[in-house]
Amino acid sequence: MAMSGGKEDGSPMMEMNMTPLIDVLLVLLIMFIITIPIQTHAVKVDLPVNSPNQPQNPVNPEKNKISIDPAGVIAWNGAPVDEVTLRQYLDQSAGMTPEPELHFQPDPQARYEVVDRTLAVIKRSAITKLGFIGNEQYRNDF
């Protein structure tokens, strides 16, 4: 009752010859590889051109920072400015859509008179997004 696959008893072989099937599949695979076109992905990117003659806009469209150091120097994004230039920058940022955030950070040792004048300039410029940063340094004073 046992099945044998050998030729000694004269019965037919029970397994299929897989070699021709594998050969046909390999030929089909090679044909598919040859007939598939080579994909050439090209992404066109328009890079900005930086001209050395054009001055860079000091008003950032996302957020700007006004700081006052202990000596009373007002700085716009780290660059010292006077009150007239500060007003021009504020008017320019108030006219942007959407209006950028304005962060105000006076030094704890800055004179109140300079901080008050700067806040008056900010108020006259019709800025609506004003935030005071660095207030945590005064937490233990009161």
Side-chain angles (χ1 to χ4, degrees):
M1 293 243 159
M3 295 177 82
S4 75
K7 295 189 178 209
E8 58 269 348
D9 64 353
S11 65
M13 192 164 72
M14 300 295 289
E15 24 184 84
M16 184 176 169
N17 189 2
M18 297 294 285
T19 306
L21 178 64
I22 293 172
D23 288 344
V24 169
L25 289 176
L26 285 174
V27 168
L28 285 174
L29 180 66
I30 291 171
M31 288 176 61
F32 281 131
I33 290 173
I34 291 173
T35 57
I36 293 176
I38 298 174
Q39 294 182 359
T40 55
H41 275 306
V43 178
K44 297 189 180 202
V45 178
D46 295 327
L47 297 174
V49 178
N50 189 11
S51 63
N53 298 344
Q54 182 181 14
Q56 189 172 355
N57 190 2
V59 179
N60 188 336
E62 294 178 11
K63 64 180 176 181
N64 296 296
K65 180 179 175 184
I66 297 176
S67 59
I68 302 175
D69 66 0
V73 177
I74 304 168
W76 175 270
N77 291 336
V81 294
D82 58 352
E83 288 185 15
V84 175
T85 309
L86 176 66
R87 178 63 191 258
Q88 291 172 351
Y89 291 164
L90 289 170
D91 290 340
Q92 185 178 358
S93 66
M96 291 182 168
T97 305
E99 182 180 334
E101 297 176 7
L102 181 64
H103 296 175
F104 184 67
Q105 184 179 19
D107 190 89
Q109 304 301 320
R111 292 185 46 89
Y112 181 75
E113 177 186 352
V114 178
V115 175
D116 186 43
R117 276 196 330 248
T118 307
L119 284 174
V121 170
I122 293 171
K123 184 175 180 179
R124 285 191 299 267
S125 67
I127 293 290
T128 58
K129 292 185 176 181
L130 174 65
F132 291 86
I133 59 173
N135 289 341
E136 62 274 357
Q137 60 192 346
Y138 304 110
R139 180 177 1 174
N140 297 329
D141 290 346
F142 298 107

